[in-house]
């Protein structure tokens, strides 16, 4: 199996999630400026939610991706109570007839520096890191 991880991150949380996913999968995580140039079985793509809207950078990235190179898209996001980024990726997959993983990873947070499910300021707890790793392992062959 081949994997790719692409992300969009403003504050660094999504980048950290992407790096943990990539490390678990044995690949590098790249931001959305790095296109997919070779076939991959799984493309993990994610970003954050800003002001309850869709993530335009993810929309642009997916629209500019050669979908014939992608076997399946795996959505992930860092967000507050809304998971519109994942809904956005799922809608794109459905509209473009590309397989989307049944499972996704949504890391929810409240406000910068507030404890929710794993953030302590800018640090990730071991429990949160383990959750991210376990999610990635579900896709390992």
């Amino acid at each position: 199996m081949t994997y790719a991880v692409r992300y969009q991150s403003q504050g660094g949380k999504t980048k950290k999630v992407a790096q943990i996913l990539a490390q678990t999968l044995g690949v590098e995580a790249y931001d959305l400026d790095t296109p997919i140039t070779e076939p991959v079985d799984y493309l993990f793509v994610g970003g954050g939610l800003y002001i309850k809207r869709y993530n335009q950078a993810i929309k642009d990235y997916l629209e500019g991706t050669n979908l014939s190179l992608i076997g399946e898209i795996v959505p992930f996001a860092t967000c507050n109570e809304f998971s519109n980024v994942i809904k956005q990726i799922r809608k794109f997959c459905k509209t473009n007839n590309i397989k989307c993983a049944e499972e996704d990873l949504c890391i929810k947070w409240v406000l910068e520096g507030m404890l929710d499910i794993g953030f302590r300021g800018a640090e990730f707890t071991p429990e949160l890191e383990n959750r991210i790793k376990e999610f990635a392992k579900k896709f390992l062959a």
Side-chain angles (χ1 to χ4, degrees):
M1 291 287 164
T2 55
Y3 308 93
V5 178
R6 299 295 185 270
Y7 67 89
Q8 186 274 330
S9 183
Q10 284 188 331
K13 291 182 183 94
T14 307
K15 179 179 180 178
K16 177 74 172 174
V17 171
Q19 289 171 333
I20 294 168
L21 288 169
Q23 179 184 23
T24 305
L25 298 167
V27 298
E28 294 289 325
Y30 295 102
D31 65 26
L32 297 181
D33 292 333
T34 306
I36 300 296
T37 57
E38 297 180 4
V40 295
D41 295 305
Y42 293 100
L43 170 60
F44 289 72
V45 68
L49 176 67
Y50 306 105
I51 314 172
K52 300 182 185 178
R53 297 182 304 198
Y54 287 145
N55 187 310
Q56 185 65 41
I58 289 178
K59 180 180 185 280
D60 293 344
Y61 178 77
L62 291 173
E63 288 176 350
T65 297
N66 179 351
L67 299 178
S68 68
L69 297 175
I70 311 302
E72 186 170 342
I73 292 178
V74 181
F76 69 94
T78 55
C79 55
N80 54 21
E81 71 273 13
F82 301 97
S83 59
N84 285 348
V85 171
I86 290 172
K87 290 177 186 175
Q88 173 186 7
I89 294 169
R90 289 193 177 289
K91 182 178 179 183
F92 176 85
C93 290
K94 184 175 182 179
T95 301
N96 291 279
N97 199 29
I98 186 162
K99 189 172 181 181
C100 189
E102 290 184 23
E103 276 194 78
D104 52 59
L105 178 66
C106 184
I107 305 297
K108 295 183 180 183
W109 54 278
V110 181
L111 294 171
E112 185 68 39
M114 293 183 71
L115 180 64
D116 185 18
I117 62 164
F119 295 105
R120 290 188 187 121
E123 297 297 319
F124 280 52
T125 64
E127 295 82 12
L128 178 57
E129 288 189 25
N130 189 54
R131 179 178 165 214
I132 297 165
K133 290 175 184 177
E134 291 303 313
F135 176 76
K137 288 177 184 177
K138 294 176 184 180
F139 297 90
L140 290 173

